[in-house]
Amino acid sequence: MSIAADRVLGIALIGLAAFIAVQAVQLEIPFSYEPVGPKAFPLGLSILLTLLSLVMILRPGDNGSWPHKTLALRLLLVLVLLLVYAVLFRQLGFIVSSMLVVTALARLFDATWGKALITGIIMSIVGYFLFTAALGISLPSGYLFASFI
């Protein structure tokens, strides 16, 4: 009996949704401007993720095969890059960490060094100004660059 890849992924995503829900419930903010508080968004996303994961488990797609080794390795490297991004985000700041990760992701999917670097620079700067100017969200400039800024 073969287990479809969709079902395995669905079960893993339900575990992730449970983890997110537990972390959201434990989130305590002493003062909040919002009437629903900061728990609502992650709880809503975990509920949505659970429902969509149940669909994957109960009705897996026609193509239930695992990806080829090269694609699976690339997907694993994407996950590693996103984890590295999360770790380096505060130390390097938004612009530098985003530029490095976007450049690495572009190279991972066969962009030339020039195109990957240009994409990383443009996306990190545009993203920074969209978050700060358009949305009013403050982003870290990085501990390593605090003395320069």
Side-chain angles (χ1 to χ4, degrees), residues 78-145:
V78 168
L79 178 63
V80 169
L81 281 170
L82 292 177
L83 290 173
V84 167
Y85 181 66
V87 169
L88 296 178
F89 186 72
R90 297 187 93 182
Q91 286 83 10
L92 296 178
F94 178 83
I95 292 178
V96 175
S97 60
S98 296
M99 185 210 45
L100 291 173
V101 169
V102 169
T103 301
L105 285 171
R107 280 295 298 151
L108 184 63
F109 289 97
D110 299 328
T112 63
W113 275 107
K115 289 180 182 179
L117 190 59
I118 290 170
T119 302
I121 291 169
I122 290 172
M123 286 186 73
S124 63
I125 292 172
V126 169
Y128 181 80
F129 285 112
L130 283 176
F131 278 110
T132 57
L135 298 175
I137 298 173
S138 62
L139 294 171
S141 58
Y143 298 135
L144 299 177
F145 302 110

Side-chain angles (χ1 to χ4, degrees), residues 9-122:
L9 180 61
I11 292 168
L13 289 175
I14 286 177
L16 177 65
F19 175 76
I20 292 169
V22 167
Q23 295 299 314
V25 168
Q26 294 176 357
L27 186 63
E28 292 296 328
I29 303 294
F31 184 77
S32 179
Y33 294 104
E34 302 163 358
V36 292
K39 296 179 185 181
F41 187 70
L43 279 175
L45 285 180
S46 66
I47 291 169
L48 180 64
L49 181 59
T50 301
L51 293 174
L52 293 174
S53 299
L54 285 173
V55 170
M56 287 181 71
I57 292 170
L58 299 175
R59 298 192 58 188
D62 294 335
N63 185 6
S65 62
W66 294 97
H68 298 290
K69 289 182 183 179
T70 56
L71 179 60
L73 181 62
R74 283 184 180 183
L75 293 175
L76 184 62
L77 287 173
V78 168
L79 178 63
V80 169
L81 281 170
L82 292 177
L83 290 173
V84 167
Y85 181 66
V87 169
L88 296 178
F89 186 72
R90 297 187 93 182
Q91 286 83 10
L92 296 178
F94 178 83
I95 292 178
V96 175
S97 60
S98 296
M99 185 210 45
L100 291 173
V101 169
V102 169
T103 301
L105 285 171
R107 280 295 298 151
L108 184 63
F109 289 97
D110 299 328
T112 63
W113 275 107
K115 289 180 182 179
L117 190 59
I118 290 170
T119 302
I121 291 169
I122 290 172

